[in-house]
Amino acid sequence: MQDPTLYLTIALAGLAGLSIVTMATLRGWTGWLELKRAELGQRSEASAPPSAAARIEVADLKERIRKLEAIAAGVDL
């Protein structure tokens, strides 16, 4: 029962398991950091004012939606 090989095997298996868990955790942490960096990059791009063409297109889409809602409600324009 006091076989040193058994203890060495158990210790090495535990070390291998700990290494696997550590590497998986570090990979997850790195992925999470990359996700947060991407979110911050999108926020800085989104904070830029929209161009005039984009504002005109949004206004046109809103007008189309208003007309479609009026048609759906049975109101003549």
Side-chain angles (χ1 to χ4, degrees), residues 4-72:
T5 308
L6 176 65
Y7 293 124
L8 183 62
T9 304
I10 291 173
L12 288 176
L15 184 61
L18 182 63
S19 298
I20 290 170
V21 169
T22 302
M23 292 302 293
T25 303
L26 287 174
R27 185 167 294 188
W29 176 253
T30 304
W32 185 80
L33 287 176
E34 288 299 319
L35 175 67
K36 291 301 174 183
R37 284 188 186 116
E39 287 178 359
L40 287 174
Q42 287 178 349
R43 283 185 191 166
S44 65
E45 292 172 2
S47 65
S51 66
R55 287 184 290 172
I56 291 171
E57 186 175 345
V58 169
D60 183 46
L61 289 173
K62 286 181 180 179
E63 180 65 22
R64 287 182 183 181
I65 290 172
R66 188 185 65 77
K67 287 180 181 179
L68 288 173
E69 287 175 342
I71 291 170

